[in-house]
Amino acid sequence: MDALLQNIYALDLKMVAMWIIGGVLIYLAIKKDMEPTLLLPMGFGAILINLPNSGAQEVIDVLFRIGITHEFGELMPLILFIGIGAMIDFTPLLTNPKLMLFGAAAQFGIFFTMCMASLFGFEMNDAASVGIIGAADGPTAIVVSQMLNSKYVGAIMVAAYSYMALVPIIQPPIIKLCTTKKERLIRMDNDGGKPVSKTTKILFPIVVTVIIGLVAPDAVALVGFLMFGNLIRECGVLNSLSETAQKVLANLITIFLGITIAARMRADEFLTVETLLIIGLGLVAFVFDTFAGVMLAKVMNIFSKKKINPMIGAAGISAFPMSARVVHKMGLQEDPQNFLLMHSIGVNVSGQIASVIAGGLILSLVK
Amino acid sequence: MSFNVEYFMNALPIMGKGMLGIFIVTIAIVLVVYLLNSMSDIVNAIANATYKLLTKKK
């Protein structure tokens, strides 16, 4: 009997608190449909890892070591990037390349949050890892925080994925606060622009990899895998591989990624003041990403004859495709005839590229 | 956890360099895309001509 009860005696309140957190993540995933592919495995993993003398600890630690740590080259998030690259259609961006500037501006939240985290006493590697929550891109956040050897990867991932799922709640009030009704009513051309040739679509991933690789060598793996996935999609001769990358590969990695992240959700590591602070700072990152994207559009409108609806700047946050949908929906609410989807998708995919550039630059500047 | 102004001051230049870097790289990509869009017909013609030339030799 004693042997049976021994394990129950090893249970402490912190573990129970982690079960509750795990339960909340599972609830949000199932009931609220918030990033279920990751929040559900993370929630279950949080329960699994916080059972007293958990037998799963060893296997999850091995998965973490092989799949996520820098020792093995952050395999899982990078392979996931092939799938993401295969899912992205860059055509709206290639039709109107200047949309990329909004993606660049909307990375401001990363650096602002990094500064704020430093002010709160986080060391530079941890501050930069907290800032990268603003990349609104899970794989980038994992790779950067691992390469910077941050000890807060669990909290960073929970914050990153939760806020990505909360984009439809976080962004609209910020967008409304930064724009006037008149600005939100600005209509943009929907003629589709000049058609993009297949050659351009094929050369784009190669050229982007070379440019980013020359400037930020630490980002080569990130951008390279993303663009490799896109090249598979666009080349036109690897449709079966493209389909596999988009579905089977991405799903397989996602299953393991969520539960593996739970390795860093042990009660003693996770239930700290720093975790609360990281979750608060993550929100700051998303708010300032949105703010900066909108503000750049407003500044461009001062100099441009052809006005841009500043709401599309907010889609520069990388959370794809939620952010683009939020902007499109807000446009329709203001004016049922104003279709911003094409433009906001273009800005949104540019945010994906810009977040990788930001990750690479952070690595180059902080490492 | 306490306020650390020194860390904050060290982070500011990284923010400046980071944002500047992002815009420089982005502008470079934008320019290349404009170039690709306008040159794609020429690139295609060159590729086709090279392919024809190579297959002819064989």
Side-chain angles (χ1 to χ4, degrees):
Chain A
M1 192 64 185
D2 262 3
L4 286 174
L5 290 174
Q6 206 173 2
N7 213 35
I8 296 172
Y9 292 146
L11 188 67
D12 66 36
L13 273 178
K14 279 186 167 184
M15 289 175 175
V16 177
M18 286 308 294
W19 296 355
I20 295 169
I21 291 173
V24 170
L25 293 180
I26 293 171
Y27 170 81
L28 293 175
I30 297 171
K31 279 283 177 188
K32 303 286 173 187
D33 200 28
M34 283 171 58
E35 289 285 326
T37 48
L38 277 145
L39 289 192
L40 189 137
M42 278 166 76
F44 187 73
I47 296 169
L48 198 64
I49 205 84
N50 285 293
L51 289 165
N53 304 314
S54 172
Q57 196 157 315
E58 201 175 328
V59 69
I60 290 180
D61 276 344
V62 170
L63 277 175
F64 189 86
R65 195 169 154 233
I66 296 171
I68 294 189
T69 60
H70 188 47
E71 188 185 352
F72 286 93
E74 299 92 11
L75 266 182
M76 279 191 204
L78 290 177
I79 293 174
L80 183 59
F81 248 27
I82 297 178
I84 295 173
M87 287 176 208
I88 297 179
D89 178 7
F90 285 115
T91 311
L93 172 65
L94 296 171
T95 311
N96 189 2
K98 71 169 187 274
L99 295 179
M100 269 208 81
L101 293 173
F102 299 119
Q107 308 309 313
F108 174 70
I110 296 177
F111 293 99
F112 181 79
T113 307
M114 181 190 72
C115 291
M116 287 297 108
S118 301
L119 186 63
F120 279 109
F122 284 96
E123 303 236 347
M124 189 50 79
N125 65 323
D126 290 322
S129 303
V130 173
I132 206 71
I133 294 171
D137 175 35
T140 304
I142 296 173
V143 170
V144 171
S145 58
Q146 278 303 302
M147 284 179 92
L148 293 177
N149 204 18
S150 171
K151 51 187 174 289
Y152 299 113
V153 69
I156 289 167
M157 292 321 298
V158 170
Y161 280 110
S162 305
Y163 289 134
M164 272 160 67
L166 287 171
V167 156
I169 296 166
I170 297 170
Q171 284 202 306
I174 311 297
I175 296 171
K176 280 196 172 172
L177 212 64
C178 300
T179 53
T180 62
K181 174 98 179 157
K182 197 179 161 194
E183 285 172 327
R184 293 197 293 274
L185 284 169
I186 294 174
R187 286 194 182 186
M188 294 178 72
D189 290 342
N190 266 315
D191 56 2
K194 198 184 157 194
V196 179
S197 71
K198 194 178 171 188
T199 314
T200 303
K201 286 184 188 177
I202 291 171
L203 287 176
F204 179 71
I206 301 168
V207 169
V208 168
T209 306
V210 172
I211 293 176
I212 298 177
L214 288 173
V215 181
D218 289 311
V220 169
L222 273 172
V223 75
F225 278 64
L226 181 77
M227 291 302 165
F228 173 58
N230 190 251
L231 186 60
I232 291 174
R233 174 199 174 97
E234 299 297 350
C235 70
V237 291
L238 295 172
N239 291 341
S240 155
L241 289 193
S242 168
E243 208 170 293
T244 305
Q246 289 180 44
K247 292 173 184 169
V248 181
L249 181 71
N251 285 343
L252 201 62
I253 294 292
T254 305
I255 289 172
F256 285 114
L257 192 63
I259 207 157
T260 306
I261 289 295
R264 288 294 173 271
M265 290 179 77
R266 278 190 206 101
D268 51 339
E269 285 178 27
F270 195 83
L271 293 176
T272 60
V273 180
E274 283 87 349
T275 299
L276 280 178
L277 210 51
I278 288 167
I279 288 173
L281 286 165
L283 182 62
V284 171
F286 273 65
V287 167
F288 277 86
D289 279 347
T290 307
F291 168 79
V294 174
M295 290 320 270
L296 180 73
K298 288 175 72 126
V299 171
M300 280 171 80
N301 274 346
I302 298 172
F303 303 101
S304 163
K305 275 183 194 168
K306 224 176 184 180
K307 299 294 176 200
I308 298 162
N309 190 315
M311 289 198 294
I312 67 162
I317 197 169
S318 169
F320 180 82
M322 289 89 79
S323 188
R325 283 190 199 141
V326 166
V327 171
H328 175 62
K329 215 171 147 188
M330 285 185 76
L332 288 177
Q333 276 168 2
E334 297 291 337
D335 171 4
Q337 296 301 312
N338 197 2
F339 299 100
L340 297 171
L341 191 63
M342 184 73 172
H343 305 283
S344 58
I345 286 276
V347 175
N348 210 183
V349 293
S350 76
Q352 183 76 54
I353 299 173
S355 67
V356 174
I357 301 173
L361 286 169
I362 279 198
L363 289 172
S364 304
L365 294 167
V366 174
K367 242 166 86 177
Chain B
M1 190 106 318
S2 56
F3 284 107
N4 192 322
V5 179
E6 194 192 334
Y7 283 2
F8 175 72
M9 295 309 285
N10 291 339
L12 283 178
I14 296 176
M15 177 163 83
K17 285 177 195 166
M19 284 311 292
L20 185 68
I22 289 180
F23 273 102
I24 290 172
V25 177
T26 304
I27 289 167
I29 295 172
V30 170
L31 294 176
V32 168
V33 173
Y34 275 120
L35 203 68
L36 282 177
N37 277 338
S38 56
M39 300 272 289
S40 62
D41 294 340
I42 301 167
V43 172
N44 257 339
I46 293 171
N48 284 337
T50 314
Y51 178 75
K52 274 180 189 168
L53 206 71
L54 289 172
T55 47
K56 229 180 191 180
K57 272 182 183 174
K58 276 180 186 174

